Amino acid sequence: MWRYLAGGLAALLMVAAGWTLFSGRARTDPVLPPAPPPSGAKSVLQDDAPGDPPVPEASERTREEKRFDRYDKDRDDRIGREEYLVSRRKAYAKLDANSDGRLTFDEWAVKTTTKFATADRDKSGSMDRAEFATTAVKRSAKPKCACPAGGTEDN
């Protein structure tokens, strides 16, 4: 019986804690005043001086428009079958080592078989754990943050 009583009391306490937590009001005013701009920096509201060059504006082209333009080689605003398949033909031509127009399994898998042959140092036809570890993909390091010095933005 005491277990039911303890469970009921715990449930009531959790309801009360949730009610007090979610019924609070968030502050709308900032806790700290905004930092003043560094000396020599222009205000955002300040107009450009007459001698300053105009600020370049970003192009309105979307990612899809840029992709379309990469495929549309003859710039007729239409992508024909040949234009669409150009990248595939180039990739196929790279793999077709003997240029006979047919792709054998060995030609298709040349990168993998070369990687295997390079990793198999003792030329035994199989790799042990140390040799297999050399085949891991080399990941490039994440690019460093290109943030401006001091953590402020210049406008």
Side-chain angles (χ1 to χ4, degrees):
M1 178 69 179
W2 62 273
R3 289 181 186 167
Y4 293 113
L5 184 61
L9 184 61
L12 285 175
L13 285 174
M14 290 180 71
V15 168
W19 180 76
T20 57
L21 182 66
F22 292 113
S23 68
R25 303 269 184 233
R27 291 184 63 158
T28 57
D29 56 330
V31 176
L32 297 174
S39 62
K42 287 190 342 183
S43 169
V44 175
L45 300 175
Q46 195 177 32
D47 291 331
D48 290 338
D52 288 347
V55 178
E57 293 185 18
S59 171
E60 294 296 325
R61 290 179 32 177
T62 64
R63 172 183 269 170
E64 196 58 32
E65 288 172 335
K66 291 177 186 177
R67 185 173 154 262
F68 184 90
D69 290 344
R70 278 194 307 269
Y71 277 88
D72 186 20
K73 300 295 184 191
D74 59 4
R75 301 290 182 239
D76 64 349
D77 286 330
R78 299 177 63 83
I79 298 175
R81 183 176 184 274
E82 292 302 317
E83 288 174 318
Y84 192 71
L85 295 175
V86 163
S87 62
R88 298 291 174 201
R89 291 188 191 284
K90 286 180 182 177
Y92 186 88
K94 277 185 186 178
L95 293 175
D96 188 15
N98 59 3
S99 301
D100 64 350
R102 290 191 289 185
L103 196 59
T104 64
F105 179 79
D106 291 333
E107 288 173 327
W108 177 73
V110 71
K111 190 172 185 178
T112 306
T113 55
T114 304
K115 193 174 198 178
F116 180 88
T118 305
D120 185 19
R121 295 221 170 105
D122 60 0
K123 306 300 178 211
S124 64
S126 61
M127 292 186 283
D128 60 12
R129 289 184 182 275
E131 290 172 335
F132 181 74
T134 63
T135 64
V137 176
K138 311 293 190 277
R139 305 253 184 232
S140 59
K142 288 185 179 180
K144 299 250 183 202
C145 178
C147 301
T152 61
E153 233 180 72
D154 293 329
N155 289 332

